[in-house]
Structures are given as structure tokens and as C-alpha cells.
Amino acid sequence: MSKNTSSEYVKLISSDKFEFIIKRDIALFSGTIKNMLSSPGQFMESEQNTIHFRDIKAVILEKVCQYLYYKDRYNNSTSEIPQFNIDPTIALELLMAADFLDC
Amino acid sequence: MSVRSGGKGKIKPPKRQEQSSIEGWESLCKALQSLVKGESENINFYDNYRIAYNIVLHNNGDKLYINLKELLNQHLEEVFSSQVISALSISNTNNPQPNFANMISLKVLKCVWEHYKKVLDLIGPILMYLDRVYCKSAKVPTVHELGKELFRDIIFQPIKYFILDTILRQIFLEREGEIIDRSIIKAIMDMLLELTGTSTKDSVYDTDFEGLFLEKSSEYYRIEGQRLVEECDAQGYIKNVEERLEEEQQRVKNYLSSVTEPKIRNIVEKELISMQLKTVIEMKNSGLIHMLKNEKIDDLRRMYLLLERVTNGHEEMKYIISNYIYDFDKVVNKTGAKDNIADTTFQEARDFKNKLDKSLNLAFFNDKMFQTAFNEAFKFLSNKDIN
């Protein structure tokens, strides 16, 4: 299996089998994802550019993806930054996921 | 991420992770053991990261840390006894080619170090949560730092003097004109720069290597200076010094740390220029005065530039030339009949002054201080003549 390190997109799969395809450099805003994809070893994740999040639900993972795009858009931006809205019902789970993913 | 306060709906508590900790633990340990050998295929990063995460989350980070330390310890001890010892046994004192054998040992060490760094790069990311949360709060070294410390204690310390001696010997040989394997030396230097001392933040390079290197270099160049003044004339001496300065600069570029550059340069300048200053300038039949009389412009320029490097270099040059001018009438009047001593002296002095002016212009870069000194000296001489 050839190592495709220059692919532009990566696939994140939630526990309930939803697939989120996002740009690779945006995914790298999460420290954990960055390690998984760019670590020197031949881990399964970096080989296939796909990560299975076995214990993160789609609704949470979707919010994480939204956040990563938000971060990319407004990082080092001088224009006014809109607030990132989070539904309180998922807040706690989202917090755990954020801690886990280092983002 | 910030959370907007207010809003309806119950906040759902996160699902409690089951404490299938024992199973996860074993799986993680097995994965770490594979990684320590450098095998990372078929290891699922996510699962192992998740297991480590749970362990730290449930306040068992300390157990994981101890376990990791134990694992690395065992691995390094094994590497030491199997690879390092056998590599060193090649280079025992009975070996007819000790230098060659020693370099082979260093090569083995280089491979061991590089493989080990790869291992740390594999393990580090998986245990990132341990680093971030446990290591920070318990104030212990991170996985990478711990790994390097263990390497230093188990593999480096026992053979420290062997490594340092071998490297210094290679540098000595290279200074004597032999060709050595620089890539191995460079790799070992990089290793010395990355390993930190036991109680300091300084690298092993700073605390153990550099001081010794500078000491040995001083000795070497002291002897070299004495040898060169015996074997060369002034011109040859200067050429040799220029070459040595260049050589040491290249050495730093090739395999030493750049912080050493000014220090080694100072040593060469001290031992080869400062210590032999008078001897070289006053060399019979080739020193400064000889060069001036024979208009050796290139040699003069090189001497000027070389001696500029040390504090008394130019002072000494001015002093010697001025003194020569002061005593000009004594030196010159050996030949010539008594009647026209004054004329001869005057003519010779004028000739010499012309040569001096030319040198000032072409070799001494119109140095004002030199010019002032010479003018004073000539004034003094012409006053003498009148009297």
C-alpha cells in the first residue's frame, strides 16, 4: 500500500458511521489528528488518510469539523470574529472531545 | 472553544467510559513493545491513544508513566548489552588498527541513537495526552525528555570517555593531514548536543566535550607554533597560520557546533600569532624589515592582515619599524668612506622612506597610525643627522 501523504482531503468517520471529508491542512488544527496523520510511523491511519472515531458521535464530530473551519477562517484575522455557537445540550460531550483532540 | 451560556434543553452528561482498563492496558503495552522495536505497521493509533487518554483521565497516569520508564529502561539495557558492548569489544587494545575499530564502534552508536530517536517519535504522539496532562502537573519530564535521559544514563555515560577520546583522536589525525569520516563524527556531535546533563539544562556537548576539545586544541597549537618557527621563514609561517585558521573554521562548519567557532579561533590566534609575535616579525633574513627592504608587498599585506587579529600585532610592527628607523644611521654607515657618511645615510634613508611609503599605501591600507609612527621616527632621525 503506497503512502499518500500529499492527498488534499482526509476522511473522519464517526461512531455512527457518518463520514466527514475535510481538507487535510484544516484537520491538522487538531493536535491529535495531526499526530495521527503525520507521525513518522506507518500507522494505519496515516496510510489510508482515514480516521475512525469509534467513540465520537456524528453530531459531535460535525461540530468539531465546523470549529476547525472556523479556526482556519479567523486565525490571525484582524476583522471582527463572529461567535462560535454551541448548542448547550452537546456542550459537555463536545468539551470532552475537544480535550481528547487537543483543539 | 467557548460555550454560549443560556439556552434550553438539558445538558447531556458524557457517556462514562467503562473501566475495561485492564484489557486496554494490555493492548497498549503490547503496542508500545512493538513500537520500541520500531515496528509500527498494523498498529491502530486511535485505539492506543484513546486507551492512554482514559488511563490518564482516570488518574492512573503515574502507573502508565512508570510502566513506560520500565519499558524503555529494559529496551536500552538490552541494546547496550547486545549491540554496544559487542561493538566496543572490537576496539580493545590488542587490535592492530585501533582507530579504524573505534570508528566502527562509533558507527554502531550512531545507528543505535538514530533508531532510538525514531522509537521516541513513534511513542511520543500516542502518549501525547500523558505529556500534556500528567507530565505537566506531576512536573516530570515528557516522554521525549525521559527517553533521552534514559539513553544518556544507560548507553552514553558508561562509554563517555571512550566516545570523547575517539573523537578527539580523530580530530588530531585530521589536523595532521589524514582523512577521517566526518559524517559519523557529526552524527555523534548532534547526539551530544541533544543529550542534556544530569542536573543542568546544558547539553553534554557544552559540559563534557567542548572544554576538553579546547584544552587539547591549545596543546596542539602550542606545539605547532614552536615547530613552525623552527621550520619556516616568516612568509611560510604566515601562510601556515592562514591555512590553520581556515582549517578550523571549516572544521566548525563541518561537524562542530557554531558556538565553538570564536573559542577555537581565539586559541589558534593566541598560540600561533600572539605567542610567536616577536619571533616571526624579527626573523633573520625574512622578517618584517627584510620584507620592507625588498618590497615584498604581498607578504607585507598578509602580515598586516594576520597580525590585525591580535591586540599587540600592529603595535609590535610599528615598534620594530620605528626602532629600525631610529637606529638607521648606526646600521647603514658600515660601508662608505668617512667623508660621505652623512650623504650615504641620507640617501639610504630616503630610499627606505620611499619603500616604506609604498608599503604603507599598498600593503598597510594607508593606516594612519602607522603613518604617524613612521613620520615621527624619521623626524627623530633627521634631527639626529643635523646634530
Side-chain angles (χ1 to χ4, degrees):
Chain A
M1 202 185 302
S2 60
K3 194 161 188 170
N4 194 359
T5 43
S6 57
S7 79
E8 219 192 320
Y9 287 90
V10 295
K11 197 192 281 190
L12 311 177
I13 306 180
S14 70
S15 56
D16 31 2
K17 305 285 190 287
F18 279 84
E19 297 182 357
F20 297 90
I21 300 178
I22 64 174
K23 277 220 180 101
R24 190 189 181 85
D25 5 341
I26 295 191
L28 298 182
F29 274 112
S30 150
T32 310
I33 295 182
K34 182 171 172 207
N35 272 338
M36 276 194 234
L37 295 175
S38 25
S39 157
Q42 289 155 299
F43 295 112
M44 283 161 30
E45 284 84 359
S46 56
E47 294 274 297
Q48 297 158 345
N49 287 308
T50 304
I51 306 179
H52 291 263
F53 291 94
R54 274 176 257 282
D55 11 44
I56 301 185
K57 296 202 299 242
V59 65
I60 306 289
L61 194 54
E62 180 180 28
K63 206 66 188 173
V64 171
C65 291
Q66 277 178 16
Y67 174 74
L68 294 175
Y69 270 91
Y70 171 83
K71 172 135 182 159
D72 177 58
R73 167 73 180 86
Y74 294 109
N75 211 15
N76 302 326
S77 160
T78 45
S79 59
E80 202 191 309
I81 303 178
Q83 201 177 29
F84 185 76
N85 295 320
I86 299 176
D87 186 351
T89 52
I90 61 167
L92 216 48
E93 286 176 281
L94 194 55
L95 182 61
M96 301 281 292
D99 184 41
F100 180 81
L101 293 172
D102 184 27
C103 67
Chain B
M1 288 201 262
S2 63
V3 180
R4 190 176 61 160
S5 57
K8 305 172 179 123
K10 233 171 57 168
I11 296 180
K12 279 196 229 139
K15 212 165 58 169
R16 272 248 156 228
Q17 299 292 343
E18 276 122 40
Q19 290 222 294
S20 49
S21 49
I22 300 180
E23 194 184 283
W25 184 272
E26 275 176 10
S27 163
L28 177 62
C29 286
K30 236 170 79 184
L32 288 178
Q33 273 160 3
S34 289
L35 289 177
V36 145
K37 295 200 205 99
E39 298 155 5
S40 62
E41 300 97 40
N42 303 323
I43 293 198
N44 188 306
F45 190 108
Y46 183 86
D47 287 343
N48 288 300
Y49 182 86
R50 173 62 84 176
I51 296 170
Y53 172 84
N54 285 337
I55 292 175
V56 176
L57 206 61
H58 291 106
N59 293 321
N60 288 324
D62 52 346
K63 299 199 187 64
L64 180 58
Y65 194 82
I66 292 174
N67 202 290
L68 173 72
K69 197 168 177 186
E70 188 49 45
L71 179 69
L72 290 177
N73 229 310
Q74 248 174 17
H75 168 74
L76 287 169
E77 303 255 349
E78 196 223 304
V79 162
F80 187 77
S81 50
S82 65
Q83 294 178 40
V84 180
I85 293 276
S86 55
L88 263 105
S89 66
I90 304 174
S91 46
N92 59 37
T93 43
N94 294 330
N95 192 307
Q97 286 199 302
N99 290 321
F100 182 68
N102 288 354
M103 285 304 272
I104 302 248
S105 309
L106 283 193
K107 199 166 190 180
V108 169
L109 183 62
K110 169 181 179 251
C111 291
V112 164
W113 167 246
E114 286 174 356
H115 182 264
Y116 185 69
K117 280 214 294 185
K118 286 205 185 104
V119 164
L120 290 183
D121 281 341
L122 290 174
I123 296 186
I126 291 196
L127 299 180
M128 190 180 74
Y129 198 76
L130 184 71
D131 273 348
R132 252 176 66 210
V133 176
Y134 173 73
C135 294
K136 236 191 195 158
S137 61
K139 298 208 176 63
V140 291
T142 61
V143 171
H144 266 98
E145 289 166 0
L146 175 70
K148 284 197 237 175
E149 278 180 17
L150 291 175
F151 186 92
R152 177 201 66 214
D153 293 335
I154 298 177
I155 299 204
F156 175 72
Q157 280 291 107
I159 59 173
K160 180 167 84 168
Y161 291 112
F162 170 77
I163 296 174
L164 294 174
D165 282 343
T166 307
I167 294 177
L168 290 171
R169 174 101 191 129
Q170 290 295 304
I171 293 179
F172 173 78
L173 289 173
E174 197 179 42
R175 283 177 175 153
E176 293 286 289
E178 298 206 18
I179 309 245
I180 64 170
D181 188 330
R182 289 176 181 165
S183 61
I184 299 184
I185 306 278
K186 175 134 184 48
I188 302 289
M189 290 293 173
D190 287 341
M191 182 185 86
L192 296 180
L193 286 165
E194 279 192 63
L195 295 174
T196 50
T198 345
S199 41
T200 68
K201 287 258 171 210
D202 295 327
S203 69
V204 168
Y205 180 96
D206 290 330
T207 51
D208 290 303
F209 172 75
E210 198 181 42
L212 205 56
F213 168 74
L214 294 174
E215 195 186 301
K216 293 284 174 189
S217 301
S218 270
E219 273 170 36
Y220 182 83
Y221 280 112
R222 192 171 311 133
I223 297 177
E224 176 76 353
Q226 286 163 0
R227 178 183 76 87
L228 285 175
V229 292
E230 280 174 31
E231 290 180 13
C232 308
D233 60 4
Q235 184 190 44
Y237 187 88
I238 292 177
K239 184 161 180 290
N240 266 293
V241 176
E242 286 172 353
E243 282 171 4
R244 286 298 191 180
L245 283 166
E246 175 66 23
E247 182 193 327
E248 290 302 325
Q249 206 184 23
Q250 283 302 314
R251 176 161 294 117
V252 172
K253 248 199 213 129
N254 283 329
Y255 52 77
L256 298 178
S257 163
S258 56
V259 300
T260 307
E261 200 273 327
K263 299 176 195 173
I264 183 65
R265 184 168 28 92
N266 277 339
I267 287 181
V268 178
E269 286 171 359
K270 173 169 171 244
E271 298 295 339
L272 292 186
I273 306 180
S274 290
M275 299 286 275
Q276 306 291 354
L277 198 56
K278 277 180 97 68
T279 318
V280 175
I281 293 181
E282 296 176 12
M283 261 187 193
K284 279 206 162 61
N285 302 326
S286 67
L288 181 55
I289 301 298
H290 168 90
M291 288 181 191
L292 284 167
K293 284 206 274 200
N294 295 298
E295 299 185 76
K296 305 257 189 202
I297 298 295
D298 270 346
D299 293 339
L300 286 166
R301 191 185 313 121
R302 285 162 76 172
M303 183 185 270
Y304 179 87
L305 288 172
L306 193 68
L307 264 48
E308 196 170 29
R309 289 167 176 263
V310 299
T311 3
N312 288 336
H314 284 174
E315 284 307 309
E316 196 62 28
M317 283 173 83
K318 281 188 273 179
Y319 179 74
I320 297 293
I321 298 177
S322 296
N323 271 1
Y324 180 75
I325 298 172
Y326 288 148
D327 294 336
F328 203 82
D329 47 351
K330 296 195 194 112
V331 171
V332 165
N333 68 3
K334 295 291 162 59
T335 57
K338 265 209 172 157
D339 314 310
N340 30 15
I341 281 178
D343 289 335
T344 329
T345 314
F346 184 69
Q347 188 55 37
E348 301 265 1
R350 243 237 303 225
D351 285 342
F352 186 69
K353 181 154 199 316
N354 286 339
K355 289 182 189 166
L356 205 54
D357 284 337
K358 193 169 161 204
S359 302
L360 204 64
N361 186 17
L362 296 173
F364 299 157
F365 301 94
N366 292 318
D367 189 322
K368 289 262 163 31
M369 311 274 273
F370 273 62
Q371 191 158 47
T372 318
F374 302 155
N375 289 343
E376 300 257 333
F378 273 109
K379 232 193 315 186
F380 185 79
L381 178 66
S382 55
N383 286 341
K384 265 211 296 193
D385 267 348
I386 292 171
N387 296 339

